[in-house]
Amino acid sequence: MECRQGVTVKPIRRLTMDEEQKIHHATLQILQDPGILVYHAGAAEIFSKSGAQVSEVTGEHSKGWLVKIPEALLEKALSTAPSRVILGARNPANSLILDGKVPRVYFGSGSESNFILEMSLNTFVREDDGATKTVLPQYRKKRGTVSDLCAAAHLAENLEHLDFFIRPVNIQDEEITEANKDVNKFFACLDNITKHVMAGLTDIGQIDHVLRMAEIIAGGRDALRQNPIVSFISCVSKSPLQFTQEATEKMLAVNERHMPLVISSSPQGGSTAPIDEVGIVSQINAEILGGVVLSQLHRPGCPVIYGSVPVRARMDNLHDMYGAPEFNQYNVSCVQMARFYGLPCYSTGGVADAKVPGIQATVEKMFSHLFVAQSGPHLLHYAFGLLEETNTFSFEQAVLDNAHIGIIKKVFTPPDVSEENILKNLDVIRKVMASPHRLFARYARKQLHSGSLYISYPLEGNCDHQDETMLKAGEEKARIEQVSSCTLPEAIRKRVLTDVPGILEKLH
């Protein structure tokens, strides 16, 4: 089928095959002892009827069940969980193929950050030399709105290297409530991008309205099943090892409707999980696989994705620390375990702890973009525009990230070692050695003109006394803002606005 190409890598390994087995056995022990605390009665019943050991646990404020999952139940779930999941798109050419056996990487956005970082360019004059002027960026934070989410989706549509879209902006308009947030965030995305759209649900009561919207856009219920233009995320596990009532309810609801679902967990090393790599990877593996077991016991064959989002705590304030090397180590090992089970994998990279674009942000982002991507996750989310530990989204930073991910994709391009290409290069070497100048420049031109070679930094400046990178990023953002929007066809748009309640008037 037609789809986005992504980039296929030769995965790096942090764990040997023997070490993978050891993590697997540690996971099995965790699923048995201590097991998982489940706070959803229906889920506890599903586990119990399927052969798990379930015992009631009554706390001071809540009632739950301690579930101990035997190895046989995990094996049964892994035998029915699809190793290949298709994520569709408004434009079918933007579909994604996630194959647990093929390390094809797609880069996407994410986070639902609360703040937008607005950039303005201002001219400054040297105090000791009035003739010397320079233009520098200044930044202002503001709360995100539905208009910002529309603009982010439009930007993402026109960023070449962004493969899928998770809302990077939390919509906080006065008119937005828990009851209408889902339909507005999905509509703002789907009306402005033709790539795959993924999101969590705020209110489970809105799922059928969201799916009705997707069915109208896709061309009907069967068409949506064949081309799932939306998918969902459920962080089922509250670390350590607890399935919450609300998140479990959302997971089961998505399962009921046979839509693609990321079963996500995000323990924090040093607070809600061991800070040691083996400890946190074993725990998150148990949390995610526990969710996979529940999904497959509930609806065998439902499309699920192994959603690993391990982070490390700053020990001074317990904030997430994305710039730490351990963040990358955790994620690479989790990707490797997902491949061990043959499950499609959703992982994390490209986040900066820095509050504004600059050297720190670039270093933190590029290390995880390179390192985590090279481990071969199918979906690498958080990869565009995020700063300040996912609290802030910057349009200009997303432009920078797009340029840098393009470079990374070039790094992973495999060499052409075909017999034909070897013979061609031998011929060039012989011709050059027989010439008086012995230079290869004339033979390089054809490849340079083909676009197959890296020419220069995409946001390269021309000035020798200031860094023009942010100026160029701002210019590119402004250029994309002028590109025609890919809004839904008018008849489909009108039908969505008529059939789906709760969409804000400002989006009509």
Side-chain angles (χ1 to χ4, degrees), residues 1-4 86-89 91-97 106 227:
M1 64 173 287
E2 194 176 14
C3 67
R4 290 186 71 85
I86 305 296
L87 300 181
N91 177 359
N94 284 327
S95 297
L96 313 177
I97 298 177
Y106 297 109
N227 179 30

Side-chain angles (χ1 to χ4, degrees), residues 407-455:
I407 297 170
I408 288 165
K409 288 183 176 180
K410 184 66 69 178
V411 168
F412 293 147
T413 302
D416 178 1
V417 290
S418 65
E419 188 66 27
E420 179 185 3
N421 197 43
I422 289 173
L423 291 174
K424 183 179 73 174
N425 278 280
L426 290 174
D427 181 55
V428 169
I429 291 168
R430 289 172 183 137
K431 286 178 178 177
V432 168
M433 289 307 295
S435 71
H437 51 73
R438 296 189 179 89
L439 290 174
F440 290 83
R442 62 174 292 193
Y443 298 99
R445 289 182 191 133
K446 184 176 180 180
Q447 283 180 280
L448 287 168
H449 293 154
S450 73
S452 62
L453 296 177
Y454 181 75
I455 306 300

